[in-house]
Amino acid sequence: MNILVTGSNGQLGSELRELEKQYKQYKFFFTDFHELDITNAEKTMQFVKSNKIETVVNCAGFTAVDAAEAQKSEAALINATGAKNLAQACAKVNALLIHISTDYVFEGRSFKPYTENDTAGPKTTYGKTKLDGEIEVIFNAKRALIFRTSWLYSSYGRNFIKTIVEKAKAEKELKVVYDQVGNPTYAGDLAKAILDIIPKVPQKIRTEIYNYSNEGVASWYDLAHAIIRIKNIDCQLKPVLSKEFPSEAIRPHYSVLNKARVKNEFGISIPHWRDSLEKCLEKL
Ligand SMILES: NC(=O)c1ccc[n+]([C@@H]2O[C@H](COP(=O)([O-])OP(=O)(O)OC[C@H]3O[C@@H](n4cnc5c(N)ncnc54)[C@H](OP(=O)(O)O)[C@@H]3O)[C@@H](O)[C@H]2O)c1
């Protein structure tokens, strides 16, 4: 099977690259902005057709949540128009599109884990453009899975885990928020789940949404606490409220995702965030 991975220099794309050797049944086409700019509809269609792509995993995105507030049109172009271009190209050749979305499509004020059927209500430009991307996929793709994930990290790229390791080594005390809770997700686990799920996707599927994040719940403070314990870093952590860290984009207070659907339909098991955190930290 020919699989196109877009945005493959990012966290999730790099984890898919790392798994390439374990999935010899797939022929991968790894591209990032310079090889394939997904905002270019014509080139996207051409790439998918000429390489006989059967599945696309769209890891490309405008993921800078705060910067998106000032760069609304750039965020919309990549997160919504890019998704539309891929959906149309996939529809043309009857390829499966696996599109990655986010917990930021929700308002973040719930008190029980979000299911795929809960009403979206994004509060940020990033979240709105990602929801628009989902809508483009729903309208334009023939066969697609949308995976909503959250708090993604990896040994590749920039993320909270790496920032905490660096800052905790450099500073005696760190303030970390404890009033935002969610599911930290190791991009390596999501990458593996995607590759395991692809052969199980029914030929007749239309567009379906699935939540995928690691099991267990944490606040950013809990996550930072686990990081410094596992790495044995001597640093005092101080739990603080979000208002002490004003940011351009409002962060959701509650981002926990209910994963029952993906587990039941595809028979996968999902690791606990702490076990996956240990695996990732070993690589740093
Ligand atoms: N990171 C998170 O916490 C998180 C949480 C939930 C959901 N997600 C979603 O998960 C997906 C993967 O996230 P990630 O953290 O792996 O993202 P990432 O590390 O930011 O990688 C995104 C990649 O897409 C590339 N890209 C940007 N514009 C492009 C274009 N027009 N054409 C092709 N490639 C382009 C980026 O290149 P440049 O770096 O050169 O721009 C980058 O290599 C995204 O859809 C994201 O919205 C992420």
Side-chain angles (χ1 to χ4, degrees), residues 6-13 31-33 36-39 58-63 78-79 100-103 126 130 149-153:
T6 59
S8 68
N9 293 343
Q11 299 192 88
L12 181 58
T31 62
D32 206 277
F33 178 77
L36 178 61
D37 173 2
I38 63 162
T39 67
N58 180 24
C59 303
F62 187 109
T63 58
I78 298 168
N79 291 343
I100 313 302
S101 193
T102 171
D103 57 306
Y126 169 72
K130 292 296 290 184
T149 190
S150 62
W151 296 26
L152 208 58
Y153 66 88

PDB file of all heavy atoms in Angstrom, residues 6-13 31-33 36-39 58-63 78-79 100-103 126 130 149-153, ligand 1:
ATOM      1  N   THR A   6       2.115  13.678   5.026  1.00  0.00           N
ATOM      2  CA  THR A   6       2.403  15.111   4.845  1.00  0.00           C
ATOM      3  C   THR A   6       2.878  15.698   6.175  1.00  0.00           C
ATOM      4  O   THR A   6       2.586  15.145   7.241  1.00  0.00           O
ATOM      5  CB  THR A   6       1.137  15.859   4.381  1.00  0.00           C
ATOM      6  OG1 THR A   6       0.126  15.673   5.379  1.00  0.00           O
ATOM      7  CG2 THR A   6       0.646  15.341   3.046  1.00  0.00           C
ATOM      8  N   GLY A   7       3.610  16.804   6.104  1.00  0.00           N
ATOM      9  CA  GLY A   7       4.127  17.425   7.338  1.00  0.00           C
ATOM     10  C   GLY A   7       5.028  16.472   8.097  1.00  0.00           C
ATOM     11  O   GLY A   7       5.050  16.449   9.329  1.00  0.00           O
ATOM     12  N   SER A   8       5.810  15.686   7.352  1.00  0.00           N
ATOM     13  CA  SER A   8       6.522  14.562   7.985  1.00  0.00           C
ATOM     14  C   SER A   8       7.789  14.946   8.744  1.00  0.00           C
ATOM     15  O   SER A   8       8.441  14.082   9.310  1.00  0.00           O
ATOM     16  CB  SER A   8       6.851  13.485   6.939  1.00  0.00           C
ATOM     17  OG  SER A   8       7.809  13.979   6.047  1.00  0.00           O
ATOM     18  N   ASN A   9       8.123  16.252   8.768  1.00  0.00           N
ATOM     19  CA  ASN A   9       9.256  16.664   9.620  1.00  0.00           C
ATOM     20  C   ASN A   9       8.794  17.075  11.012  1.00  0.00           C
ATOM     21  O   ASN A   9       9.612  17.400  11.872  1.00  0.00           O
ATOM     22  CB  ASN A   9      10.012  17.849   8.997  1.00  0.00           C
ATOM     23  CG  ASN A   9      10.712  17.447   7.716  1.00  0.00           C
ATOM     24  OD1 ASN A   9      10.896  16.264   7.452  1.00  0.00           O
ATOM     25  ND2 ASN A   9      11.087  18.433   6.908  1.00  0.00           N
ATOM     26  N   GLY A  10       7.489  17.070  11.241  1.00  0.00           N
ATOM     27  CA  GLY A  10       6.959  17.452  12.546  1.00  0.00           C
ATOM     28  C   GLY A  10       7.028  16.289  13.533  1.00  0.00           C
ATOM     29  O   GLY A  10       7.621  15.243  13.236  1.00  0.00           O
ATOM     30  N   GLN A  11       6.411  16.465  14.679  1.00  0.00           N
ATOM     31  CA  GLN A  11       6.480  15.435  15.739  1.00  0.00           C
ATOM     32  C   GLN A  11       5.865  14.112  15.289  1.00  0.00           C
ATOM     33  O   GLN A  11       6.520  13.062  15.340  1.00  0.00           O
ATOM     34  CB  GLN A  11       5.714  15.899  16.982  1.00  0.00           C
ATOM     35  CG  GLN A  11       6.217  17.167  17.622  1.00  0.00           C
ATOM     36  CD  GLN A  11       5.571  17.358  18.982  1.00  0.00           C
ATOM     37  OE1 GLN A  11       6.085  16.866  19.992  1.00  0.00           O
ATOM     38  NE2 GLN A  11       4.455  18.054  19.040  1.00  0.00           N
ATOM     39  N   LEU A  12       4.604  14.162  14.860  1.00  0.00           N
ATOM     40  CA  LEU A  12       3.919  12.915  14.482  1.00  0.00           C
ATOM     41  C   LEU A  12       4.526  12.320  13.217  1.00  0.00           C
ATOM     42  O   LEU A  12       4.748  11.110  13.133  1.00  0.00           O
ATOM     43  CB  LEU A  12       2.421  13.192  14.279  1.00  0.00           C
ATOM     44  CG  LEU A  12       1.559  11.995  13.909  1.00  0.00           C
ATOM     45  CD1 LEU A  12       1.644  10.892  14.968  1.00  0.00           C
ATOM     46  CD2 LEU A  12       0.095  12.420  13.708  1.00  0.00           C
ATOM     47  N   GLY A  13       4.824  13.176  12.244  1.00  0.00           N
ATOM     48  CA  GLY A  13       5.415  12.700  10.997  1.00  0.00           C
ATOM     49  C   GLY A  13       6.749  12.010  11.248  1.00  0.00           C
ATOM     50  O   GLY A  13       7.050  10.962  10.657  1.00  0.00           O
ATOM     51  N   THR A  31       6.703  13.530   3.001  1.00  0.00           N
ATOM     52  CA  THR A  31       6.876  14.872   2.446  1.00  0.00           C
ATOM     53  C   THR A  31       6.655  15.910   3.541  1.00  0.00           C
ATOM     54  O   THR A  31       5.915  15.676   4.492  1.00  0.00           O
ATOM     55  CB  THR A  31       5.844  15.159   1.333  1.00  0.00           C
ATOM     56  OG1 THR A  31       4.527  15.089   1.911  1.00  0.00           O
ATOM     57  CG2 THR A  31       5.960  14.166   0.178  1.00  0.00           C
ATOM     58  N   ASP A  32       7.303  17.053   3.383  1.00  0.00           N
ATOM     59  CA  ASP A  32       6.983  18.214   4.217  1.00  0.00           C
ATOM     60  C   ASP A  32       6.793  19.389   3.260  1.00  0.00           C
ATOM     61  O   ASP A  32       6.781  19.191   2.039  1.00  0.00           O
ATOM     62  CB  ASP A  32       8.061  18.466   5.290  1.00  0.00           C
ATOM     63  CG  ASP A  32       7.483  19.200   6.494  1.00  0.00           C
ATOM     64  OD1 ASP A  32       7.382  20.435   6.450  1.00  0.00           O
ATOM     65  OD2 ASP A  32       7.087  18.542   7.487  1.00  0.00           O
ATOM     66  N   PHE A  33       6.678  20.573   3.815  1.00  0.00           N
ATOM     67  CA  PHE A  33       6.345  21.769   3.042  1.00  0.00           C
ATOM     68  C   PHE A  33       7.106  21.878   1.704  1.00  0.00           C
ATOM     69  O   PHE A  33       6.507  22.177   0.671  1.00  0.00           O
ATOM     70  CB  PHE A  33       6.617  22.996   3.913  1.00  0.00           C
ATOM     71  CG  PHE A  33       6.355  24.294   3.239  1.00  0.00           C
ATOM     72  CD1 PHE A  33       5.048  24.751   3.078  1.00  0.00           C
ATOM     73  CD2 PHE A  33       7.393  25.050   2.735  1.00  0.00           C
ATOM     74  CE1 PHE A  33       4.793  25.952   2.425  1.00  0.00           C
ATOM     75  CE2 PHE A  33       7.149  26.254   2.086  1.00  0.00           C
ATOM     76  CZ  PHE A  33       5.837  26.698   1.934  1.00  0.00           C
ATOM     77  N   LEU A  36       5.957  18.911  -0.680  1.00  0.00           N
ATOM     78  CA  LEU A  36       4.530  19.010  -1.002  1.00  0.00           C
ATOM     79  C   LEU A  36       3.852  19.987  -0.042  1.00  0.00           C
ATOM     80  O   LEU A  36       3.639  19.681   1.134  1.00  0.00           O
ATOM     81  CB  LEU A  36       3.853  17.622  -0.899  1.00  0.00           C
ATOM     82  CG  LEU A  36       2.343  17.647  -1.181  1.00  0.00           C
ATOM     83  CD1 LEU A  36       2.041  18.132  -2.592  1.00  0.00           C
ATOM     84  CD2 LEU A  36       1.730  16.272  -0.961  1.00  0.00           C
ATOM     85  N   ASP A  37       3.534  21.162  -0.605  1.00  0.00           N
ATOM     86  CA  ASP A  37       2.810  22.174   0.170  1.00  0.00           C
ATOM     87  C   ASP A  37       1.321  21.872   0.015  1.00  0.00           C
ATOM     88  O   ASP A  37       0.759  22.025  -1.076  1.00  0.00           O
ATOM     89  CB  ASP A  37       3.163  23.563  -0.392  1.00  0.00           C
ATOM     90  CG  ASP A  37       2.333  24.671   0.234  1.00  0.00           C
ATOM     91  OD1 ASP A  37       1.511  24.376   1.134  1.00  0.00           O
ATOM     92  OD2 ASP A  37       2.495  25.836  -0.177  1.00  0.00           O
ATOM     93  N   ILE A  38       0.692  21.442   1.091  1.00  0.00           N
ATOM     94  CA  ILE A  38      -0.705  20.976   0.978  1.00  0.00           C
ATOM     95  C   ILE A  38      -1.682  22.121   0.692  1.00  0.00           C
ATOM     96  O   ILE A  38      -2.848  21.873   0.411  1.00  0.00           O
ATOM     97  CB  ILE A  38      -1.159  20.167   2.229  1.00  0.00           C
ATOM     98  CG1 ILE A  38      -1.138  21.040   3.488  1.00  0.00           C
ATOM     99  CG2 ILE A  38      -0.333  18.903   2.391  1.00  0.00           C
ATOM    100  CD1 ILE A  38      -1.967  20.460   4.638  1.00  0.00           C
ATOM    101  N   THR A  39      -1.210  23.369   0.776  1.00  0.00           N
ATOM    102  CA  THR A  39      -2.114  24.482   0.444  1.00  0.00           C
ATOM    103  C   THR A  39      -2.200  24.678  -1.071  1.00  0.00           C
ATOM    104  O   THR A  39      -3.008  25.469  -1.542  1.00  0.00           O
ATOM    105  CB  THR A  39      -1.678  25.802   1.126  1.00  0.00           C
ATOM    106  OG1 THR A  39      -0.441  26.232   0.568  1.00  0.00           O
ATOM    107  CG2 THR A  39      -1.518  25.623   2.625  1.00  0.00           C
ATOM    108  N   ASN A  58      -2.354  12.909   7.129  1.00  0.00           N
ATOM    109  CA  ASN A  58      -2.067  14.342   7.126  1.00  0.00           C
ATOM    110  C   ASN A  58      -1.554  14.803   8.487  1.00  0.00           C
ATOM    111  O   ASN A  58      -2.331  15.056   9.403  1.00  0.00           O
ATOM    112  CB  ASN A  58      -3.313  15.143   6.737  1.00  0.00           C
ATOM    113  CG  ASN A  58      -3.012  16.634   6.734  1.00  0.00           C
ATOM    114  OD1 ASN A  58      -1.867  17.045   6.574  1.00  0.00           O
ATOM    115  ND2 ASN A  58      -4.040  17.441   6.905  1.00  0.00           N
ATOM    116  N   CYS A  59      -0.233  14.920   8.585  1.00  0.00           N
ATOM    117  CA  CYS A  59       0.389  15.398   9.834  1.00  0.00           C
ATOM    118  C   CYS A  59       0.762  16.878   9.714  1.00  0.00           C
ATOM    119  O   CYS A  59       1.345  17.438  10.641  1.00  0.00           O
ATOM    120  CB  CYS A  59       1.664  14.615  10.138  1.00  0.00           C
ATOM    121  SG  CYS A  59       1.421  12.852  10.261  1.00  0.00           S
ATOM    122  N   ALA A  60       0.484  17.494   8.569  1.00  0.00           N
ATOM    123  CA  ALA A  60       0.837  18.911   8.378  1.00  0.00           C
ATOM    124  C   ALA A  60      -0.150  19.773   9.146  1.00  0.00           C
ATOM    125  O   ALA A  60      -1.333  19.448   9.234  1.00  0.00           O
ATOM    126  CB  ALA A  60       0.802  19.262   6.897  1.00  0.00           C
ATOM    127  N   GLY A  61       0.339  20.848   9.688  1.00  0.00           N
ATOM    128  CA  GLY A  61      -0.576  21.738  10.384  1.00  0.00           C
ATOM    129  C   GLY A  61       0.108  23.020  10.793  1.00  0.00           C
ATOM    130  O   GLY A  61       1.337  23.095  10.871  1.00  0.00           O
ATOM    131  N   PHE A  62      -0.705  24.051  11.008  1.00  0.00           N
ATOM    132  CA  PHE A  62      -0.232  25.278  11.660  1.00  0.00           C
ATOM    133  C   PHE A  62      -0.533  25.044  13.133  1.00  0.00           C
ATOM    134  O   PHE A  62      -1.679  25.104  13.567  1.00  0.00           O
ATOM    135  CB  PHE A  62      -0.995  26.495  11.132  1.00  0.00           C
ATOM    136  CG  PHE A  62      -0.451  27.808  11.640  1.00  0.00           C
ATOM    137  CD1 PHE A  62       0.228  28.670  10.785  1.00  0.00           C
ATOM    138  CD2 PHE A  62      -0.607  28.187  12.972  1.00  0.00           C
ATOM    139  CE1 PHE A  62       0.735  29.888  11.250  1.00  0.00           C
ATOM    140  CE2 PHE A  62      -0.097  29.384  13.451  1.00  0.00           C
ATOM    141  CZ  PHE A  62       0.564  30.240  12.591  1.00  0.00           C
ATOM    142  N   THR A  63       0.502  24.707  13.905  1.00  0.00           N
ATOM    143  CA  THR A  63       0.266  24.212  15.270  1.00  0.00           C
ATOM    144  C   THR A  63       0.670  25.203  16.367  1.00  0.00           C
ATOM    145  O   THR A  63       0.570  24.874  17.545  1.00  0.00           O
ATOM    146  CB  THR A  63       1.029  22.879  15.488  1.00  0.00           C
ATOM    147  OG1 THR A  63       2.410  23.117  15.253  1.00  0.00           O
ATOM    148  CG2 THR A  63       0.536  21.788  14.566  1.00  0.00           C
ATOM    149  N   ILE A  78      -3.522  26.544   6.086  1.00  0.00           N
ATOM    150  CA  ILE A  78      -2.908  25.221   6.289  1.00  0.00           C
ATOM    151  C   ILE A  78      -3.906  24.250   6.923  1.00  0.00           C
ATOM    152  O   ILE A  78      -4.079  23.123   6.447  1.00  0.00           O
ATOM    153  CB  ILE A  78      -1.635  25.349   7.153  1.00  0.00           C
ATOM    154  CG1 ILE A  78      -0.607  26.228   6.432  1.00  0.00           C
ATOM    155  CG2 ILE A  78      -1.042  23.969   7.457  1.00  0.00           C
ATOM    156  CD1 ILE A  78       0.562  26.679   7.279  1.00  0.00           C
ATOM    157  N   ASN A  79      -4.588  24.703   7.983  1.00  0.00           N
ATOM    158  CA  ASN A  79      -5.434  23.766   8.747  1.00  0.00           C
ATOM    159  C   ASN A  79      -6.773  23.447   8.069  1.00  0.00           C
ATOM    160  O   ASN A  79      -7.307  22.348   8.262  1.00  0.00           O
ATOM    161  CB  ASN A  79      -5.694  24.323  10.151  1.00  0.00           C
ATOM    162  CG  ASN A  79      -4.429  24.326  11.005  1.00  0.00           C
ATOM    163  OD1 ASN A  79      -3.466  23.639  10.680  1.00  0.00           O
ATOM    164  ND2 ASN A  79      -4.416  25.105  12.078  1.00  0.00           N
ATOM    165  N   ILE A 100      -5.494  14.538  11.116  1.00  0.00           N
ATOM    166  CA  ILE A 100      -5.289  14.698  12.566  1.00  0.00           C
ATOM    167  C   ILE A 100      -5.897  16.017  13.041  1.00  0.00           C
ATOM    168  O   ILE A 100      -5.600  17.081  12.489  1.00  0.00           O
ATOM    169  CB  ILE A 100      -3.778  14.661  12.928  1.00  0.00           C
ATOM    170  CG1 ILE A 100      -3.055  13.488  12.239  1.00  0.00           C
ATOM    171  CG2 ILE A 100      -3.616  14.588  14.453  1.00  0.00           C
ATOM    172  CD1 ILE A 100      -3.611  12.105  12.543  1.00  0.00           C
ATOM    173  N   SER A 101      -6.744  15.911  14.061  1.00  0.00           N
ATOM    174  CA  SER A 101      -7.343  17.108  14.640  1.00  0.00           C
ATOM    175  C   SER A 101      -7.035  17.162  16.143  1.00  0.00           C
ATOM    176  O   SER A 101      -6.125  16.464  16.599  1.00  0.00           O
ATOM    177  CB  SER A 101      -8.839  17.150  14.340  1.00  0.00           C
ATOM    178  OG  SER A 101      -9.344  18.426  14.642  1.00  0.00           O
ATOM    179  N   THR A 102      -7.774  17.939  16.854  1.00  0.00           N
ATOM    180  CA  THR A 102      -7.328  18.319  18.201  1.00  0.00           C
ATOM    181  C   THR A 102      -8.464  18.458  19.214  1.00  0.00           C
ATOM    182  O   THR A 102      -9.614  18.726  18.847  1.00  0.00           O
ATOM    183  CB  THR A 102      -6.591  19.680  18.094  1.00  0.00           C
ATOM    184  OG1 THR A 102      -6.331  20.194  19.402  1.00  0.00           O
ATOM    185  CG2 THR A 102      -7.417  20.723  17.352  1.00  0.00           C
ATOM    186  N   ASP A 103      -8.095  18.334  20.482  1.00  0.00           N
ATOM    187  CA  ASP A 103      -9.021  18.610  21.587  1.00  0.00           C
ATOM    188  C   ASP A 103      -9.435  20.089  21.608  1.00  0.00           C
ATOM    189  O   ASP A 103     -10.441  20.437  22.223  1.00  0.00           O
ATOM    190  CB  ASP A 103      -8.359  18.255  22.922  1.00  0.00           C
ATOM    191  CG  ASP A 103      -7.051  19.000  23.130  1.00  0.00           C
ATOM    192  OD1 ASP A 103      -6.175  18.909  22.249  1.00  0.00           O
ATOM    193  OD2 ASP A 103      -6.888  19.687  24.161  1.00  0.00           O
ATOM    194  N   TYR A 126      -6.672  28.735  16.442  1.00  0.00           N
ATOM    195  CA  TYR A 126      -6.160  27.395  16.111  1.00  0.00           C
ATOM    196  C   TYR A 126      -7.299  26.374  16.128  1.00  0.00           C
ATOM    197  O   TYR A 126      -7.500  25.628  15.172  1.00  0.00           O
ATOM    198  CB  TYR A 126      -5.059  27.016  17.117  1.00  0.00           C
ATOM    199  CG  TYR A 126      -4.632  25.564  17.041  1.00  0.00           C
ATOM    200  CD1 TYR A 126      -3.889  25.094  15.962  1.00  0.00           C
ATOM    201  CD2 TYR A 126      -4.970  24.667  18.060  1.00  0.00           C
ATOM    202  CE1 TYR A 126      -3.505  23.749  15.898  1.00  0.00           C
ATOM    203  CE2 TYR A 126      -4.587  23.341  18.007  1.00  0.00           C
ATOM    204  CZ  TYR A 126      -3.852  22.885  16.926  1.00  0.00           C
ATOM    205  OH  TYR A 126      -3.473  21.563  16.865  1.00  0.00           O
ATOM    206  N   LYS A 130      -8.896  24.302  12.987  1.00  0.00           N
ATOM    207  CA  LYS A 130      -8.853  22.828  12.985  1.00  0.00           C
ATOM    208  C   LYS A 130     -10.273  22.258  12.809  1.00  0.00           C
ATOM    209  O   LYS A 130     -10.466  21.260  12.123  1.00  0.00           O
ATOM    210  CB  LYS A 130      -8.219  22.295  14.279  1.00  0.00           C
ATOM    211  CG  LYS A 130      -6.735  22.588  14.441  1.00  0.00           C
ATOM    212  CD  LYS A 130      -5.864  21.931  13.390  1.00  0.00           C
ATOM    213  CE  LYS A 130      -5.782  20.434  13.521  1.00  0.00           C
ATOM    214  NZ  LYS A 130      -4.833  19.862  12.502  1.00  0.00           N
ATOM    215  N   THR A 149      -6.570  14.362  18.763  1.00  0.00           N
ATOM    216  CA  THR A 149      -5.616  14.012  19.810  1.00  0.00           C
ATOM    217  C   THR A 149      -5.313  15.243  20.663  1.00  0.00           C
ATOM    218  O   THR A 149      -5.854  16.326  20.410  1.00  0.00           O
ATOM    219  CB  THR A 149      -4.330  13.403  19.198  1.00  0.00           C
ATOM    220  OG1 THR A 149      -3.527  12.875  20.245  1.00  0.00           O
ATOM    221  CG2 THR A 149      -3.523  14.421  18.403  1.00  0.00           C
ATOM    222  N   SER A 150      -4.472  15.066  21.681  1.00  0.00           N
ATOM    223  CA  SER A 150      -4.250  16.173  22.612  1.00  0.00           C
ATOM    224  C   SER A 150      -2.850  16.117  23.213  1.00  0.00           C
ATOM    225  O   SER A 150      -2.248  15.045  23.298  1.00  0.00           O
ATOM    226  CB  SER A 150      -5.263  16.084  23.763  1.00  0.00           C
ATOM    227  OG  SER A 150      -5.080  14.873  24.472  1.00  0.00           O
ATOM    228  N   TRP A 151      -2.327  17.267  23.594  1.00  0.00           N
ATOM    229  CA  TRP A 151      -1.067  17.395  24.346  1.00  0.00           C
ATOM    230  C   TRP A 151       0.031  16.489  23.750  1.00  0.00           C
ATOM    231  O   TRP A 151       0.668  15.702  24.454  1.00  0.00           O
ATOM    232  CB  TRP A 151      -1.273  17.036  25.805  1.00  0.00           C
ATOM    233  CG  TRP A 151      -2.199  17.926  26.590  1.00  0.00           C
ATOM    234  CD1 TRP A 151      -3.224  18.692  26.124  1.00  0.00           C
ATOM    235  CD2 TRP A 151      -2.189  18.126  28.013  1.00  0.00           C
ATOM    236  NE1 TRP A 151      -3.847  19.344  27.148  1.00  0.00           N
ATOM    237  CE2 TRP A 151      -3.233  19.009  28.324  1.00  0.00           C
ATOM    238  CE3 TRP A 151      -1.415  17.629  29.062  1.00  0.00           C
ATOM    239  CZ2 TRP A 151      -3.512  19.419  29.626  1.00  0.00           C
ATOM    240  CZ3 TRP A 151      -1.702  18.031  30.357  1.00  0.00           C
ATOM    241  CH2 TRP A 151      -2.722  18.916  30.629  1.00  0.00           C
ATOM    242  N   LEU A 152       0.223  16.611  22.452  1.00  0.00           N
ATOM    243  CA  LEU A 152       1.136  15.728  21.724  1.00  0.00           C
ATOM    244  C   LEU A 152       2.598  16.072  22.038  1.00  0.00           C
ATOM    245  O   LEU A 152       2.959  17.244  22.075  1.00  0.00           O
ATOM    246  CB  LEU A 152       0.875  15.914  20.226  1.00  0.00           C
ATOM    247  CG  LEU A 152       1.144  14.773  19.270  1.00  0.00           C
ATOM    248  CD1 LEU A 152       0.328  13.543  19.640  1.00  0.00           C
ATOM    249  CD2 LEU A 152       0.793  15.212  17.841  1.00  0.00           C
ATOM    250  N   TYR A 153       3.413  15.048  22.265  1.00  0.00           N
ATOM    251  CA  TYR A 153       4.845  15.286  22.464  1.00  0.00           C
ATOM    252  C   TYR A 153       5.635  14.141  21.846  1.00  0.00           C
ATOM    253  O   TYR A 153       5.082  13.074  21.537  1.00  0.00           O
ATOM    254  CB  TYR A 153       5.197  15.427  23.960  1.00  0.00           C
ATOM    255  CG  TYR A 153       4.996  14.150  24.741  1.00  0.00           C
ATOM    256  CD1 TYR A 153       6.012  13.200  24.833  1.00  0.00           C
ATOM    257  CD2 TYR A 153       3.768  13.876  25.337  1.00  0.00           C
ATOM    258  CE1 TYR A 153       5.818  12.007  25.518  1.00  0.00           C
ATOM    259  CE2 TYR A 153       3.573  12.685  26.032  1.00  0.00           C
ATOM    260  CZ  TYR A 153       4.597  11.758  26.114  1.00  0.00           C
ATOM    261  OH  TYR A 153       4.396  10.583  26.779  1.00  0.00           O
TER     262      TYR A 153
HETATM  263  N1  LIG B   1       1.239  19.436  19.076  1.00  0.00           N
HETATM  264  C1  LIG B   1       0.135  19.202  19.781  1.00  0.00           C
HETATM  265  O1  LIG B   1       0.112  19.338  21.030  1.00  0.00           O
HETATM  266  C2  LIG B   1      -1.116  18.728  19.092  1.00  0.00           C
HETATM  267  C3  LIG B   1      -2.243  18.449  19.883  1.00  0.00           C
HETATM  268  C4  LIG B   1      -3.401  18.005  19.252  1.00  0.00           C
HETATM  269  C5  LIG B   1      -3.439  17.856  17.875  1.00  0.00           C
HETATM  270  N2  LIG B   1      -2.331  18.154  17.134  1.00  0.00           N
HETATM  271  C6  LIG B   1      -2.416  17.995  15.670  1.00  0.00           C
HETATM  272  O2  LIG B   1      -1.596  16.884  15.323  1.00  0.00           O
HETATM  273  C7  LIG B   1      -1.029  17.107  14.018  1.00  0.00           C
HETATM  274  C8  LIG B   1       0.477  16.886  14.095  1.00  0.00           C
HETATM  275  O3  LIG B   1       0.998  17.762  15.084  1.00  0.00           O
HETATM  276  P1  LIG B   1       2.574  17.907  15.320  1.00  0.00           P
HETATM  277  O4  LIG B   1       2.749  18.336  16.740  1.00  0.00           O
HETATM  278  O5  LIG B   1       3.280  16.706  14.797  1.00  0.00           O
HETATM  279  O6  LIG B   1       2.850  19.165  14.380  1.00  0.00           O
HETATM  280  P2  LIG B   1       4.256  19.846  14.056  1.00  0.00           P
HETATM  281  O7  LIG B   1       5.347  19.207  14.824  1.00  0.00           O
HETATM  282  O8  LIG B   1       4.026  21.327  14.166  1.00  0.00           O
HETATM  283  O9  LIG B   1       4.455  19.455  12.513  1.00  0.00           O
HETATM  284  C9  LIG B   1       3.669  20.001  11.490  1.00  0.00           C
HETATM  285  C10 LIG B   1       4.485  19.906  10.225  1.00  0.00           C
HETATM  286  O10 LIG B   1       3.687  20.415   9.149  1.00  0.00           O
HETATM  287  C11 LIG B   1       4.536  21.202   8.335  1.00  0.00           C
HETATM  288  N3  LIG B   1       3.761  22.116   7.502  1.00  0.00           N
HETATM  289  C12 LIG B   1       3.319  23.348   7.798  1.00  0.00           C
HETATM  290  N4  LIG B   1       2.681  23.878   6.739  1.00  0.00           N
HETATM  291  C13 LIG B   1       2.709  22.952   5.764  1.00  0.00           C
HETATM  292  C14 LIG B   1       2.208  22.909   4.433  1.00  0.00           C
HETATM  293  N5  LIG B   1       1.557  23.956   3.905  1.00  0.00           N
HETATM  294  N6  LIG B   1       2.413  21.810   3.698  1.00  0.00           N
HETATM  295  C15 LIG B   1       3.096  20.747   4.210  1.00  0.00           C
HETATM  296  N7  LIG B   1       3.595  20.731   5.457  1.00  0.00           N
HETATM  297  C16 LIG B   1       3.403  21.820   6.228  1.00  0.00           C
HETATM  298  C17 LIG B   1       5.393  21.920   9.350  1.00  0.00           C
HETATM  299  O11 LIG B   1       6.514  22.520   8.740  1.00  0.00           O
HETATM  300  P3  LIG B   1       7.148  23.857   9.458  1.00  0.00           P
HETATM  301  O12 LIG B   1       7.608  23.421  10.791  1.00  0.00           O
HETATM  302  O13 LIG B   1       8.220  24.225   8.495  1.00  0.00           O
HETATM  303  O14 LIG B   1       6.012  24.845   9.515  1.00  0.00           O
HETATM  304  C18 LIG B   1       5.758  20.763  10.276  1.00  0.00           C
HETATM  305  O15 LIG B   1       6.868  20.036   9.803  1.00  0.00           O
HETATM  306  C19 LIG B   1      -1.463  18.513  13.597  1.00  0.00           C
HETATM  307  O16 LIG B   1      -2.584  18.413  12.775  1.00  0.00           O
HETATM  308  C20 LIG B   1      -1.862  19.163  14.895  1.00  0.00           C
HETATM  309  O17 LIG B   1      -2.858  20.170  14.696  1.00  0.00           O
HETATM  310  C21 LIG B   1      -1.175  18.566  17.711  1.00  0.00           C
END
